[in-house]
Amino acid sequence: PAPANPAPARATRRAPSLLARLTSLTLARPDTAKGLTLPAFGEGDREQQLLGRILNYLRQNAAGAANLGALYEALSAEGLGGGFSERMQEAERLLASFAPEDLDRELADGVHKLQQAQRNEQIQVLSRKAQAQGLSQEEKRAYQQLIAARP
């Protein structure tokens, strides 16, 4: 006989995106993060906006890491406070679970992966354009530089 109350289906949890992980690592290691160079973002999605705003805040405020409450208020006014709270909770879990040097290494690796992904995306865009309509001289140079920089 079947059980009277079957167990509820498990909710599947997606792994956090690279940007979400970088945001959490940035909050966990703000002094390390503000010295890193991230690729330029367009308008992008909410996670890109959140990470960009956090990095700008850390770079512009000497006491930024010590006063994240002011940042939270500013982000909340922009509708990004919920994402900040989630990333802050993850940052606290990271700090409790890993040595600072491991977090620093993961942060640097994440930035490198983000740069590679952005470079690959640019290559794909230029490849599609080359097939569809051809590239200008400037675009050809950019394409060649991107290909040459590929690992």
Side-chain angles (χ1 to χ4, degrees):
N5 293 325
R10 286 181 142 194
T12 56
R13 184 169 179 227
R14 290 181 33 206
S17 70
L18 178 58
L19 282 172
R21 185 70 172 181
L22 282 173
T23 303
S24 297
L25 287 162
T26 295
L27 291 168
R29 302 293 294 155
D31 290 332
T32 301
K34 67 182 175 183
L36 294 174
T37 302
L38 287 173
F41 295 131
E43 284 300 306
D45 65 11
R46 292 177 60 80
E47 200 68 49
Q48 287 178 338
Q49 292 173 16
L50 181 61
L51 180 56
R53 290 282 288 121
I54 291 169
L55 285 170
N56 286 339
Y57 179 84
L58 292 172
R59 290 176 181 142
Q60 293 172 2
N61 296 285
N67 189 15
L68 291 176
L71 174 60
Y72 174 74
E73 288 177 21
L75 291 172
S76 293
E78 296 175 29
L80 297 172
F84 179 82
S85 295
E86 290 174 29
R87 300 296 160 251
M88 198 65 210
Q89 289 172 359
E90 177 63 17
E92 290 168 2
R93 284 192 289 275
L94 290 170
L95 286 169
S97 303
F98 297 98
E101 55 274 3
D102 292 336
L103 295 175
D104 291 347
R105 190 172 25 263
E106 187 174 346
L107 184 58
D109 289 346
V111 169
H112 180 70
K113 287 178 185 175
L114 187 63
Q115 290 168 334
Q116 283 182 316
Q118 191 175 50
R119 186 172 37 250
N120 289 340
E121 185 178 329
Q122 290 171 333
I123 289 170
Q124 289 174 356
V125 167
L126 289 171
S127 292
R128 284 191 297 269
K129 185 174 180 186
Q131 292 173 354
Q133 66 194 44
L135 298 175
S136 69
Q137 286 300 101
E138 185 177 320
E139 289 169 327
K140 286 178 185 176
R141 273 193 300 279
Y143 183 74
Q144 290 168 346
Q145 290 172 346
L146 288 166
I147 294 294
R150 239 183 185 171

